[in-house]
Amino acid sequence: MRTRILALIVGIILGAYIGGYFTSQTIYIYKYRESTAGFLHSVQLSNESNGSVASMFIPALDEQGNGVSTLLTVQAVPGSGRTLVNIDKLLFWIDTQNSIRTARSVAENITGINLSYYDLIYTISANASVIEGPSAGAALTIATVAALEGKSLNSSVMITGTINHDGTIGPVGGVLEKAKAAKSIGAEIFLVPLLQSSQITYETKKYCERIGWSQICTIEQIPKKVNISEEIGIEVKEVMNVEEALKYFLLEK
């Protein structure tokens, strides 16, 4: 009898722990029905009675590989540790969910704020039909930190990069195209992962030579190292981790 009672108590405690754990790790998906047009020309943070909101533009690639700008908004409100994500106009990849979980964890470590007392609401107003999650990881983290600390974001700065659990920023693809997108909406500084301020591009050339009575032609890929800052006309800075990036983004009121 005592063994059964002890087993029941242990089961209840374990169930409560597992339930609480998975609640904190769950991404709740919702359909955002309100207009976000008011944000499109205003990148700012505002303190409201129901919490703080941080908005920033992030660069992305569309299905054709072209650079586009996407508005990210993070709202921190008193709650129970939930994470909610708007998927309007967004193909919501599993890796996007993983990036949000990592961003949430890193932001909690940086700010020292216990997120079990807050709900985080992520909204992405995408101009592209597909936005993959990993390359937005650094931006997700920075916007989360800003929302939690009630600080303004520098609208002249944009960033691309994945986010690792220790806060370091990992490499991404399409940096040159994303830099073009950042430049097109007026960004002056573009933050990139280490060693990605330059990009290797390949120019296709046809080379022909005559061998005897025949002419042999081959298609060759000629490599070219492109300095993104010089190519696009935007200041490019390499950053190793979120702490370095925050120095460019956060503005004191």
Side-chain angles (χ1 to χ4, degrees), residues 197-208:
S197 58
S198 297
Q199 182 171 311
I200 304 300
T201 61
Y202 291 88
E203 181 182 357
T204 300
K205 286 188 176 181
K206 183 178 181 180
Y207 174 75
C208 298

Side-chain angles (χ1 to χ4, degrees), residues 77 79-81 104 107-109 111-119 148:
V77 298
S80 57
R104 184 182 187 279
E108 185 173 31
N109 290 335
T111 62
I113 296 174
N114 187 348
L115 293 187
S116 62
Y117 298 106
Y118 292 88
D119 289 342
L148 290 171

Side-chain angles (χ1 to χ4, degrees), residues 45 54 56 103 106-112 137-155 157-160 163 166-169 189 191-192 237-252:
L45 178 146
M56 65 188 296
V106 173
E108 185 173 31
N109 290 335
I110 290 176
T111 62
L140 286 165
T141 308
I142 289 166
T144 303
V145 170
L148 290 171
E149 294 188 340
K151 293 182 178 179
S152 298
L153 288 170
N154 188 342
S155 61
V157 182
M158 291 178 66
I159 187 171
T160 186
I163 185 65
D166 62 354
T168 55
I169 296 173
I189 300 176
L191 305 183
V192 301
K237 297 287 186 179
E238 296 181 355
V239 288
M240 183 175 68
N241 52 45
V242 173
E243 285 85 353
E244 288 186 13
L246 285 170
K247 295 176 182 178
Y248 293 92
F249 272 103
L250 295 186
L251 299 174
E252 296 293 339

Side-chain angles (χ1 to χ4, degrees), residues 26 29 97 147 200:
T26 300
I29 302 172
Q97 298 184 44
I200 304 300

